[in-house]
Amino acid sequence: MKRKNGKISNAVIRRLPRYRRYLRELQKQGVEKISSNDFSELIGYTASQIRQDLNNFGDFGQQGYGYSVDGLYEEVSKILGLDHDYKMVLVGAGNLGQAISKYAMSIIDQGFQLCAAFDIKPELAGKKVEGITIYPYEELESYVSENQIDIGIICVNKGNAQEVADKLYSAGARGIWNFALVDLVVPEQVALESVHLADTLHSLAYHMNDIRRKSSGAEGKKK
Amino acid sequence: MKRKNGKISNAVIRRLPRYRRYLRELQKQGVEKISSNDFSELIGYTASQIRQDLNNFGDFGQQGYGYSVDGLYEEVSKILGLDHDYKMVLVGAGNLGQAISKYAMSIIDQGFQLCAAFDIKPELAGKKVEGITIYPYEELESYVSENQIDIGIICVNKGNAQEVADKLYSAGARGIWNFALVDLVVPEQVALESVHLADTLHSLAYHMNDIRRKSSGAEGKKK
DNA sequence: TAGATTGTTAATCGATTAACAATC
DNA sequence: TAGATTGTTAATCGATTAACAATC
């Protein structure tokens, strides 16, 4: 992977997993090569954008031919860091936490292993969610550092999320997958990805109402 | 709410739930008014952007004074369509579906009510997830139309997601909250919000590796 | 070689930020 | 009224798209 210099914009990064998904589909269908034009039609980005995006990371194509599906899939996987495994812990085994842990458990085959869960409620200690033991919150830091955990999944309520993030960092975790509805502040050595589920639902609500307004107000055309 | 003409960009919409969250916090703290400058410091958008964003929807502020926290909270809620309730069904009660349903159940107080779940597996019919009955998949359309369901939550595997979306639409649902890892195509009368959890995790992996590369390659400075 | 298609530079578009007149 | 702060226009910045020379 011949990485070029300069910072890659986040817009590009967010498209990479999607490129990878479509490449995987093509691979399954036995397609060997694809041109940026054909790929454009499939994935819905312009051919120009596809070439620009990929060229941030190297010259993966071949003029007059296109891109090798297998090769590009491997490259994109490598760029994303999916060529090695990640150990994760879940913090907060309440409603949302149990929900997410269920999902997290199901992607071990994709290189993400959920190793343990933690909760501040003493009565949960020793119990299991989806086969994963819940430990007392006090043991979080020692567990993370001793077991070289890479990623902490934060599912505590928003008032405690920042403290959990701080603990995860000081114990050595370098990735935080945050589901608490709060905007965390983390040192630049930590990668943070927040999934604000409620925000996405609210955004959905907006669009539903926007569509309704448009269709009902089709006659009234306000200035 | 004095809506101005012209299309609002999606970037703006995605910021609205965040404005609302911070306004709620301010409200709780008993803050009565806030200027775009102070709000900027709190929320991390520029004051200019805040004023631009809000002015897409109306003149909510008062020159020389600022914005009323209560008033603006109400306005943003209304813009998002959170001044009325939504009835939802879950489709796909497998791993991810049960995970999401747990979460969906917990936000009824916020105007989102999960009414029923559906699954194609006959052995799940009649069972309950989190207090919600699972019905046979065949009954999806009749249930949605009879109960005037607004939103369908899609948690089936990607091969079936498009069919589910089509059924939800034809039965009258006008919002789709999609968790299947596929890009759905829906008529423009339907609002679609996809949460590709795996994509966010992959994006997190990228950033973790990016940080690692930078710190380890700090000496090697490639051209 | 001729045709196809990339890699890359230039042009365009849209979103963010800055500036300031309007006004409370 | 004077000071503060919005609403809005203009300037800047960044991301997307178009164009085309390089090259397989």
Side-chain angles (χ1 to χ4, degrees):
Chain A
M1 182 175 79
K2 204 174 20 162
R3 181 174 302 271
K4 318 227 168 151
N5 49 349
K7 174 132 180 50
I8 313 292
S9 93
N10 212 41
V12 176
I13 310 305
R14 301 214 156 273
R15 284 192 290 270
L16 291 177
R18 180 157 162 167
Y19 285 124
R20 185 167 170 275
R21 279 194 275 124
Y22 280 85
L23 288 165
R24 182 83 190 96
E25 277 311 311
L26 288 167
Q27 221 179 19
K28 273 192 201 160
Q29 289 162 28
V31 177
E32 279 186 10
K33 64 148 187 141
I34 191 155
S35 69
S36 56
N37 249 304
D38 293 349
F39 203 14
S40 167
E41 208 147 306
L42 185 67
I43 203 173
Y45 302 143
T46 64
S48 221
Q49 179 160 69
I50 293 170
R51 295 202 300 277
Q52 286 276 28
D53 281 355
L54 297 176
N55 266 91
N56 283 304
F57 303 100
D59 299 352
F60 301 138
Q62 196 176 337
Q63 274 109 327
Y65 175 85
Y67 297 87
S68 143
V69 169
D70 282 2
L72 193 55
Y73 177 79
E74 287 308 318
E75 291 289 356
V76 174
S77 297
K78 244 189 280 179
I79 294 165
L80 286 169
L82 300 179
D83 52 344
H84 59 270
D85 291 349
Y86 297 86
K87 291 166 83 176
M88 311 191 293
V89 295
L90 172 78
V91 191
N95 253 338
L96 183 58
Q98 290 186 35
I100 299 299
S101 74
K102 191 152 207 158
Y103 176 70
M105 282 302 292
S106 72
I107 52 172
I108 183 169
D109 59 308
Q110 288 156 56
F112 295 90
Q113 188 194 357
L114 183 60
C115 301
F118 295 85
D119 200 284
I120 203 156
K121 289 213 185 105
E123 65 266 31
L124 285 176
K127 288 199 175 171
K128 296 202 167 200
V129 243
E130 308 299 319
I132 291 296
T133 304
I134 305 178
Y135 296 95
Y137 179 61
E138 295 73 43
E139 297 174 22
L140 174 63
E141 284 181 273
S142 58
Y143 186 99
V144 167
S145 62
E146 278 165 26
N147 293 278
Q148 312 228 48
I149 296 299
D150 302 294
I151 296 172
I153 310 176
I154 299 185
C155 291
V156 301
N157 54 37
K158 58 184 170 192
N160 302 116
Q162 184 62 57
E163 180 198 308
V164 172
D166 296 343
K167 279 201 168 37
L168 284 167
Y169 170 67
S170 71
R174 287 299 174 263
I176 288 178
W177 202 21
N178 173 48
F179 288 85
L181 203 50
V182 66
D183 305 302
L184 301 175
V185 178
V186 294
E188 63 176 12
Q189 289 90 344
V190 189
L192 169 68
E193 182 76 31
S194 284
V195 181
H196 291 158
L197 286 181
D199 283 10
T200 71
L201 189 54
H202 292 173
S203 170
L204 176 64
Y206 172 87
H207 287 295
M208 289 174 70
N209 284 282
D210 192 40
I211 289 168
R212 222 165 24 79
R213 265 189 299 263
K214 266 179 203 145
S215 57
S216 71
E219 68 281 24
K221 257 179 205 121
K222 48 202 89 160
K223 85 125 223 174
Chain B
M1 182 175 82
K2 205 174 20 161
R3 181 174 301 270
K4 317 226 170 153
N5 50 351
K7 175 131 181 51
I8 314 292
S9 94
N10 213 40
V12 176
I13 310 305
R14 301 214 157 272
R15 284 192 289 270
L16 291 178
R18 180 157 163 168
Y19 285 124
R20 187 168 169 274
R21 278 194 274 124
Y22 281 85
L23 287 165
R24 183 83 190 94
E25 277 310 312
L26 288 167
Q27 222 178 18
K28 274 192 201 158
Q29 289 161 29
V31 177
E32 279 186 11
K33 64 146 188 141
I34 191 154
S35 69
S36 56
N37 249 303
D38 293 349
F39 204 13
S40 166
E41 209 147 305
L42 185 67
I43 202 172
Y45 302 142
T46 64
S48 221
Q49 179 160 69
I50 293 170
R51 294 202 300 277
Q52 285 276 27
D53 282 355
L54 297 176
N55 265 91
N56 283 304
F57 303 101
D59 299 352
F60 301 138
Q62 196 174 338
Q63 275 109 329
Y65 175 85
Y67 298 87
S68 143
V69 170
D70 282 1
L72 194 54
Y73 177 80
E74 287 307 318
E75 290 289 355
V76 174
S77 297
K78 244 189 279 179
I79 293 165
L80 286 169
L82 299 179
D83 52 345
H84 58 270
D85 291 348
Y86 297 87
K87 291 167 80 176
M88 312 191 292
V89 295
L90 172 77
V91 191
N95 253 337
L96 181 59
Q98 290 187 34
I100 299 299
S101 74
K102 190 151 208 157
Y103 175 70
M105 282 301 293
S106 71
I107 52 173
I108 183 170
D109 58 308
Q110 288 158 54
F112 295 90
Q113 188 195 357
L114 183 59
C115 301
F118 296 84
D119 201 284
I120 203 155
K121 288 212 185 110
E123 65 265 30
L124 285 177
K127 288 198 176 169
K128 295 201 168 202
V129 244
E130 309 297 322
I132 290 297
T133 305
I134 305 179
Y135 296 95
Y137 179 59
E138 295 74 41
E139 297 174 21
L140 173 62
E141 284 181 273
S142 59
Y143 187 98
V144 166
S145 62
E146 278 164 27
N147 293 278
Q148 311 228 50
I149 296 299
D150 302 294
I151 296 173
I153 310 176
I154 298 184
C155 291
V156 300
N157 55 36
K158 58 183 171 196
N160 303 115
Q162 184 62 56
E163 181 199 308
V164 172
D166 296 344
K167 278 202 169 37
L168 285 167
Y169 170 66
S170 71
R174 286 299 175 263
I176 289 177
W177 203 22
N178 173 48
F179 289 85
L181 203 50
V182 66
D183 305 302
L184 300 176
V185 178
V186 294
E188 62 175 12
Q189 290 90 344
V190 189
L192 169 67
E193 182 76 31
S194 284
V195 182
H196 292 156
L197 286 181
D199 284 11
T200 70
L201 190 53
H202 293 172
S203 170
L204 175 65
Y206 172 87
H207 288 293
M208 290 174 69
N209 284 281
D210 193 40
I211 290 168
R212 222 166 23 78
R213 265 189 301 263
K214 267 179 202 145
S215 59
S216 71
E219 68 282 20
K221 260 180 203 123
K222 47 204 88 160
K223 87 131 222 173

